[in-house]
Every structure is written in C-alpha cells, then in structure tokens.
Amino acid sequence: MAEGEDMQTFTSIMDALVRISTSMKNMEKELLCPVCQEMYKQPLVLPCTHNVCQACAREVLGQQGYIGHAGDPSSEPTSPASTPSTRSPRLSRRTLPKPDRLDRLLKSGFGTYPGRKRGALHPQTIIFPCPACQGDVELGERGLSGLFRNLTLERIVERYRQSVSVGGAILCQLCKPPPLEATKGCTECRATFCNECFKLFHPWGTQKAQHEPTLPTLSFRPKGLMCPDHKEEVTHYCKTCQRLVCQLCRVRRTHSGHKITPVLSAYQALKDKLTKSLAYILGNQDTVQTQICELEETIRHTEVSGQQAKEEVSQLVRGLGAVLEEKRSSLLQAIEECQQERLSRLSAQIHEHQSLLDGSGLVGYAQEVLKETDQPCFVQAAKQLHNRIARATEALQTFRPAASSSFRHCQLDVGREMKLLTELNFLRVPEAPVIDTQRTFAYDQIFLCWRLPPHSPPAWHYTVEFRRTDVPAQPGPARWQRREEVRGTSALLENPDTGSVYVLRVRGCNKAGYGEYSEDVHLHTPPAPVLHFFLDGRWGASRERLAISKDQRAVRSIPGLPLLLAAERLLTGCHLSVDVVLGDVAVTQGRSYWACAVDPASYLVKVGVGLESKLQESFQGAPDVISPRYDPDSGHDSGAEDATVEALPPFAFLTIGMGKILLGSGASSNAGLTGRDGPAASCTVPLPPRLGICLDYERGRVSFLDAVSFRGLLECPLDCSGPVCPAFCFIGGGAVQLQEPVGTKPERKVTIGGFAKLD
C-alpha cells in the first residue's frame, strides 16, 4: 500500500516536472537575445524596455563607431579565473584569457565618464539602435555604464538552462584540464571551484576566507541591484523618469520635483497590475484559443487569397501578352504586305529597264522594225512602237525608283504605352476625401460636398456616415448611421432633427476596398423648421426702385435719380421713401426659421417680421420720411424706442447698413453687449455672410442669428395676435438674397430615417 502511494507521488512529481520543462521550452524565444539569437548573458535593460546582452551591446556600439563608450554596468570584482597572479599550481599550462574577455571584465572610464572625450566642450550623446523595436535609443553620455542589468531575466535564463540540461555537471573553472566537477561557487569571486581550488583561493587568515560559498552556478549576479551612477543599492523608484534610483540620486538636481516612491510600493503596485493582467489572460484562455483559431483561419484564407491574386495577375499579364502578340502579328503582316508590294513594283521597273538594253527586249524589237523597207507596213508597226519608245525614253530621262526602300512610316511610338506599362501597379484604395466646407451646410436639409485629393486613386462609390453629438452618450462605441454606394461627390441628408449638431464623414471605395475616412465635419441644424416663401412686391414696393428676380428669391433696391436729387436737398427738408418687400407666406402657429444674405454694400436695410395687417396698413401708401434713419414701424427694432412701453410691438427688425449690424439698447442680446450698470448703448457688430430669423409664434419672440455659426445676435418680443409674415425694408441702395432650400438642388438624396445603424 505504501509502495503504491509512493509510486503515485513519484508519478505526480514527474508529471509536474514535465509540465514545467515543457513550459520552459515554450518560452525559449523570450530568452533569446535579438542580436546573437542565443540565451541572454548579462542582459541590460535599454530605455525602450527591451533587453540585449552586454557583450552584444558593446559590439553594436563598436560597429556604430563608439569606441570606449561601453562601460561595464556590473561593477563586480574580477574573477580569479582571469587573474594570472593568483593561479593554481594546476593551471601552470593553462592558456591566458582572450583580450576581449578581459575587456568585458575590466572597468572602463578611468578619470572621466565613459562616452565623454577629454577636453570636449559638449558631452557626446550615445545613440543605440535597438534591434527589437528598430528605433534609435539615447543612452546619454555614459553609454552602457548607465544601464541596469536585468537580474530577473538572468535568473529565469539560469532556471531554464537547468531545466533543459538535467544531470549536466558544472565544472571547476580553475582546474587544469581535464577540470573536475565543481562543488562550490563564490559570488564575490564570480567563479566555480572544486574543493581543492576553493581552499587554494580562499586561504585561512585572509579576507577571502570570509567569502561565503554557494552552490555552483554558471551565472553570478550581485546580491542586489546597484545604481550604475553611485554604486549603491537602489531603494526608490522615480515615476517621472520611470527609473530605479538610490539615496544619492534622490537629492540630485536631476530628480528635483519628481514623484519618487519607495521601491517596495513600486514593487507592490507593479506586481498587482501584472498579477491582474496575467489572471485576466489565464481566465480567458478560451478566448485566446478562439482567436488563435481565427488567426489560423485567416492564414489559410490569406494563402488562398494570395494564390488567387497571383493567378489573376498572371492571367491579366498573359492577356496583355496575348494582345501584344496579336498586335505584333498584325503589324508584321502589314509590313510584309507593304514589302511585297514594293518588291513587285521594283521588279517590274527592273524588267522594263532590262528591255532597254542593246539587242534585247524593246530595243531589239525596235531595231528589227527599223529594218522594214515596206513603207506602209513600217508606218503601221512603228506608230505603236514609237509611243512605247517615247515612254521608255521619258522614264530613262526622269529615272526614279518605283518604290522607296525606307520603312520609316512603319515606326512605332510606344513611349506612352511604355510609360503605362512602367506605371502598371496594384490598384490602391482611395485616399481620405476632403470635405468642401464652403459648399457644405445645413438648412432645410443637410448638403454634404467633398472631393478626392489630386493624386488619389478613383473611387467607384462612397459611404456617408453621420451621427448626432448632442444626444446622451450610450455605453460602448459611438453608433454611426450609414448610407452605402453613394454616387457622385455630394449628397443630401433629408429630415434632420432641428436644433441639433451632426458630425459627418465620408470614405471612398473601389475594387481594392475601402479607403480612410475624411476628417469629421460638424454642422448645426436650424433651431426650427425652415419656412419656404417667395418675395411679394405688391405692398409698399416701388417698381421703379425695387427689382425682384424672376425666381422671387432676391430683391435689389436701386436709388436712382430722385434719391440723388433728394440727397442734394437734404438740408432743406427733403423727404425719402421707404421701400418694403413682404413674404408671400404668413405664419399663424408654431416655430419657423429662414435665412437670407444681405449685400455688405447696402446703405440701409431692415430685415425682420411683423403683423401682416400692420405692415400692409403702414406701407400701402409708402409714407415719406425725412431721414434715412427713420424707423418704418412704431414697434420694436434694433434701434427701438423706449423699452418701457408695455404693449408688444407689431414689428421686429434688425437694422443693417454698410456691412454692420446696429444692436440697440432696448433689445436683449446674446452678444455680450450689457455692462455692469445695465444695458449698454447702441453698438455695431460685423455683418455675417448669412442672417437667420427664428420666429416662435406661441411665445411671441423673434431671434436673429448668425446663420453660419448659429450664434445669437438679438432677441425681440413681437405681437403675434394675427398672421405674421417676413418683411424687408430698403432706404437707399441695397440687396437681399433668400437662402435657397437645399431640396431644390439636383443632388443624390439620402433619407436619414432609412439609414442602417452602424456600431
């Protein structure tokens, strides 16, 4: 029974050792130096938190041209194994250590900081190319001597070596070959000894006799982590510099004002964080395994997709080759036909010239004809022959080859094609579109306009996404509304919520996939539904002085000669007329909003609203005034009368002149025009590109806004006991343009209510 329990216990221990050994082997890649690809030996911690062997770091700095800048950060005593004066008698024939080994063990930087040349005006900053992150790391002027050794990593490497080499004996470093098995180690001497060598190097009665022996090991480390600057044990941690410091470092000016905590606190905080993170990872092993499976599936898809892409490219290139081969055949055929035609003509010409030789062909026949003595017969034969001889003579005198031997007309200009083939490359996704903020705005609908950068690949279609930013935030990522496959470079977003702020973005798509999103653009929607109306010049408008456009959305006041003559007699009591244009729609309920643009060069324009009955009554006869500052209403204006009148005014106007807006003292304003002691006096503000008017019929209030930023300019009370309509007054020259509804633009419409939500 006891033997069975012992066997079970032994099996459990062996299983545990196997698991530990397996886990240690699996993490071997974490213990390899990125330079030498071997186990770390005296690893140093770089400022970028990566590790590198001390010897490898010195070699890298030497390759970079830094000579003598790699101090030894260990600051440990030299091993007796490298000290010739203290050799064992058994080492009489042992070879001396290599110079590079001695160089690694000896300290550097006598009389000056490593990395600083004597007499240098400015300290030299050592730049180390980290092989792990491929970045340049600044080591300061001290170089490697200012770095800490990673003792924890050294311990892990030693445990790993012991786990993978069970039963391997550690040999004495001081014995004559063949060395004996080491039985003791000395941290102070940094060497392993057999019993004989330990007694020899630690004689009784000397200071070395006080060294405490340890178990034999291949890696000797200092008892504690020492400060590389002051060679004292580190006791604190600087959170600002993220560096361990000693007591002397705390009082130095370098860490003045830094947040420094005891190393125990930093140890506990980092250990807790690491424990929690590790516990989270260990508690989500199923998720890790699922993601590994997903990545493996992605690898398989990548292999398949890559093979398909190769086949597609090969097919396309073969297609280009087939087209080129077909074109080559047709061009060669054309050259061959041209060549044969020219050869035929030249051969015929040669045959004709050969007939002109003496005694052959035409000449021989003519010689025989000349021998004819019968005159009638001669005339009959010589008539036709003479014509041939004449043509031959003319050809001989004006000799020219029947065809050219040059084929310059068959030369090909393939410069454009070669450039296209040279630039042949994979299709890139479209770059991030650029939203045209000058043409993008919100009115009755949202009009969004964009363009691609100049050198961007083309986009087949676009995706428009938007969301409201003035709604309470919900947990999780922001939810966007999306519209796919928008053609063109503009879109209309219908039915936006009033008084809201929308953020919009766009991205393009082509065969290569989706590109990057454009920068977000924020748009304010009007505070009330937009009122659509046209200008009606039947009331108070002089056709001689007012010109209304054909679409009835713009009006211009033309002063003309009467006003100039009146201005000349202004000091003698002349009279000026007020021209009024009303809207053809009256408001009887709810809230309404509209916008217009006033010409900055206008002399005096009043924009506002009023009771329809009062407006028609006041301006039906177009009364004269004696001053251009005449207020056409007896109600409220930006230059209003006494604000103590209890009755609500029938009119509310905003006075505009010469690119300025006059804000009176009797109106409540959001522009910050009130002082400490009460309302400020009348003042002016610059005229914005567009003015907005918001009418709240139930509350009897009118607000004048900057239609671009929706900043409040003026708020006035209004008598809403009857229908209220928009009104525009002109004194002198001026022009007003109503903002055109976005819905009239022939652009692609996107219904907001039909958008699909996107996480």
Side-chain angles (χ1 to χ4, degrees):
M1 188 71 177
E3 293 180 358
E5 293 180 355
D6 293 342
M7 182 61 66
Q8 186 176 1
T9 303
F10 177 76
T11 305
S12 301
I13 294 175
M14 292 302 296
D15 292 341
L17 290 176
V18 170
R19 287 195 300 270
I20 294 174
S21 177
T22 304
S23 63
M24 296 293 285
K25 289 182 180 180
N26 290 336
M27 72 172 184
E28 181 177 353
K29 62 181 181 180
E30 298 290 337
L31 308 179
L32 298 180
C33 173
V35 178
C36 61
Q37 295 300 318
E38 296 180 359
M39 293 291 179
Y40 283 109
K41 299 176 183 177
Q42 297 184 1
L44 303 179
V45 183
L46 298 175
C48 58
T49 69
H50 294 121
N51 300 279
V52 65
C53 295
Q54 178 184 348
C56 297
R58 294 167 62 89
E59 183 179 356
V60 170
L61 285 182
Q63 294 175 355
Q64 296 293 322
Y66 296 104
I67 306 299
H69 297 306
D72 186 0
S74 60
S75 69
E76 296 159 8
T78 306
S79 170
S82 302
T83 309
S85 61
T86 58
R87 292 199 197 109
S88 168
R90 303 182 60 183
L91 292 177
S92 58
R93 293 191 301 269
R94 184 176 179 182
T95 58
L96 293 176
K98 296 182 179 180
D100 59 345
R101 172 63 179 168
L102 290 176
D103 185 53
R104 283 199 300 269
L105 295 176
L106 293 176
K107 303 176 185 178
S108 62
F110 296 99
T112 181
Y113 289 114
R116 177 183 295 177
K117 297 181 180 179
R118 295 182 182 272
L121 296 178
H122 301 285
Q124 183 181 12
T125 300
I126 308 300
I127 303 298
F128 185 86
C130 178
C133 61
Q134 305 299 323
D136 293 336
V137 182
E138 292 188 6
L139 302 183
E141 57 182 282
R142 296 192 50 128
L144 298 180
S145 61
L147 301 180
F148 285 101
R149 278 178 60 178
N150 196 336
L151 301 181
T152 302
L153 182 57
E154 288 189 37
R155 297 187 184 99
I156 296 175
V157 170
E158 182 177 355
R159 290 198 296 269
Y160 175 80
R161 290 182 183 275
Q162 294 176 357
S163 66
V164 298
S165 59
V166 178
I170 301 177
L171 302 179
C172 176
Q173 295 179 335
L174 282 301
C175 281
K176 175 184 176 181
L180 300 177
E181 182 178 353
T183 59
K184 297 179 181 180
C186 181
T187 305
E188 301 292 337
C189 299
R190 298 180 66 245
T192 56
F193 305 88
C194 62
N195 289 331
E196 181 183 353
C197 292
F198 186 83
K199 293 178 182 179
L200 180 64
F201 280 92
H202 298 80
W204 184 84
T206 63
Q207 186 177 2
K208 288 187 177 182
Q210 301 178 2
H211 293 180
E212 296 181 1
T214 62
L215 295 176
T217 179
L218 297 176
S219 176
F220 292 94
R221 299 176 299 275
K223 295 181 179 179
L225 197 61
M226 309 300 291
C227 174
D229 296 332
H230 306 104
K231 311 306 177 186
E232 292 190 1
E233 187 176 357
V234 294
T235 57
H236 292 76
Y237 179 76
C238 178
K239 292 185 177 181
T240 306
C241 301
Q242 297 185 358
R243 180 181 174 89
L244 292 167
V245 295
C246 64
Q247 291 288 353
L248 294 178
C249 292
R250 292 185 59 190
V251 299
R252 290 184 61 184
R253 187 180 303 174
T254 307
H255 299 278
S256 176
H258 292 186
K259 189 174 183 180
I260 299 178
T261 60
V263 71
L264 178 62
S265 302
Y267 162 80
Q268 193 63 41
L270 290 175
K271 188 173 183 179
D272 292 343
K273 291 181 180 179
L274 183 59
T275 303
K276 291 180 180 179
S277 301
L278 188 60
Y280 174 80
I281 294 176
L282 295 177
N284 292 271
Q285 291 297 296
D286 295 339
T287 304
V288 174
Q289 192 62 38
T290 302
Q291 294 177 357
I292 291 175
C293 296
E294 183 179 350
L295 291 174
E296 292 175 350
E297 186 67 21
T298 304
I299 290 176
R300 288 192 291 270
H301 284 305
T302 302
E303 293 175 351
V304 174
S305 300
Q307 189 63 31
Q308 292 178 353
K310 292 179 181 178
E311 294 177 357
E312 290 179 0
V313 170
S314 300
Q315 184 178 0
L316 291 174
V317 173
R318 285 195 298 268
L320 290 176
V323 172
L324 288 175
E325 183 62 27
E326 182 180 356
K327 193 65 176 177
R328 185 184 72 88
S329 301
S330 63
L331 293 175
L332 293 180
Q333 182 65 27
I335 294 176
E336 181 67 23
E337 293 176 356
C338 180
Q339 182 184 14
Q340 293 299 328
E341 188 268 338
R342 291 186 180 186
L343 292 176
S344 299
R345 292 167 58 185
L346 291 173
S347 298
Q349 191 176 16
I350 290 175
H351 181 70
E352 292 179 359
H353 278 64
Q354 287 177 349
S355 65
L356 300 181
L357 296 176
D358 186 14
S360 63
L362 182 61
V363 174
Y365 176 68
Q367 291 174 350
E368 293 298 327
V369 170
L370 289 175
K371 296 178 182 180
E372 179 64 43
T373 58
D374 189 349
Q375 296 180 359
C377 294
F378 176 81
V379 172
Q380 182 183 6
K383 182 64 177 175
Q384 181 182 4
L385 179 60
H386 180 266
N387 294 333
R388 295 177 61 190
I389 291 295
R391 288 196 300 269
T393 303
E394 182 181 0
L396 189 62
Q397 294 175 352
T398 61
F399 172 75
R400 185 178 182 182
S404 174
S405 61
S406 174
F407 280 83
R408 291 185 178 180
H409 68 285
C410 296
Q411 296 293 325
L412 291 178
D413 183 10
V414 295
R416 182 171 58 89
E417 288 76 9
M418 290 296 293
K419 182 179 179 181
L420 292 176
L421 289 176
T422 303
E423 296 176 352
L424 183 64
N425 205 340
F426 296 109
L427 181 63
R428 296 184 294 115
V429 297
E431 297 182 11
V434 179
I435 295 182
D436 189 350
T437 56
Q438 300 296 327
R439 298 178 56 192
T440 298
F441 63 95
Y443 194 46
D444 57 327
Q445 301 171 23
I446 296 178
F447 178 66
L448 183 64
C449 183
W450 63 87
R451 66 180 184 276
L452 285 176
H455 302 290
S456 170
W460 293 358
H461 56 80
Y462 297 89
T463 297
V464 179
E465 296 182 4
F466 75 97
R467 61 183 176 89
R468 286 183 56 182
T469 60
D470 54 347
V471 295
Q474 299 180 356
R479 302 178 65 87
W480 292 82
Q481 292 179 303
R482 170 193 292 176
R483 177 67 181 184
E484 301 283 0
E485 298 186 3
V486 177
R487 308 291 176 178
T489 57
S490 60
L492 291 181
L493 307 182
E494 295 182 333
N495 306 325
D497 297 332
T498 58
S500 303
V501 180
Y502 283 88
V503 56
L504 304 97
R505 63 184 185 183
V506 186
R507 65 173 176 173
C509 178
N510 57 17
K511 189 177 181 180
Y514 285 95
E516 296 292 333
Y517 283 102
S518 66
E519 294 185 0
D520 295 347
V521 60
H522 294 74
L523 293 179
H524 295 257
T525 56
V530 175
L531 177 67
H532 299 283
F533 64 91
F534 297 94
L535 298 176
D536 186 2
R538 294 176 298 175
W539 302 101
S542 173
R543 297 183 182 273
E544 297 179 356
R545 295 189 298 270
L546 290 182
I548 299 178
S549 62
K550 293 183 179 180
D551 60 358
Q552 295 182 289
R553 293 188 179 277
V555 58
R556 177 174 293 276
S557 174
I558 305 174
L561 184 60
L563 183 61
L564 296 177
L565 296 176
E568 189 179 29
R569 300 188 301 271
L570 185 60
L571 299 178
T572 61
C574 71
H575 295 271
L576 299 179
S577 297
V578 177
D579 298 314
V580 181
V581 179
L582 306 181
D584 63 349
V585 174
V587 180
T588 57
Q589 61 179 358
R591 301 175 71 239
S592 301
Y593 174 85
W594 63 93
C596 64
V598 179
D599 186 358
S602 301
Y603 179 66
L604 189 63
V605 177
K606 291 179 175 288
V607 177
V609 294
L611 285 174
E612 184 179 17
S613 58
K614 294 293 184 179
L615 287 172
Q616 295 178 1
E617 177 182 348
S618 300
F619 298 108
Q620 188 170 7
D624 293 338
V625 295
I626 60 175
S627 171
R629 296 185 178 273
Y630 167 76
D631 192 348
D633 58 80
S634 59
H636 208 300
D637 190 3
S638 57
E641 301 107 5
D642 191 355
T644 59
V645 179
E646 296 182 0
L648 294 176
F651 312 130
F653 285 93
L654 188 69
T655 303
I656 304 157
M658 306 304 292
K660 301 289 184 179
I661 299 177
L662 176 64
L663 299 177
S665 60
S668 61
S669 172
N670 294 329
L673 301 174
T674 58
R676 295 182 180 178
D677 301 329
S682 299
C683 66
T684 60
V685 296
L687 176 66
R690 295 192 303 272
L691 288 173
I693 300 94
C694 183
L695 170 63
D696 191 339
Y697 191 87
E698 278 72 17
R699 293 180 59 240
R701 305 292 294 182
V702 178
S703 300
F704 297 92
L705 313 170
D706 181 346
V708 177
S709 63
F710 288 92
R711 178 176 59 91
L713 298 174
L714 193 69
E715 186 175 350
C716 306
L718 180 67
D719 183 6
C720 295
S721 59
V724 178
C725 63
F728 306 90
C729 303
F730 296 89
I731 300 178
V736 173
Q737 170 74 49
L738 296 180
Q739 182 165 340
E740 184 179 2
V742 182
T744 60
K745 294 181 178 293
E747 307 289 346
R748 180 180 177 86
K749 296 183 179 180
V750 178
T751 303
I752 292 180
F755 276 9
K757 289 188 176 181
L758 171 66
D759 292 339

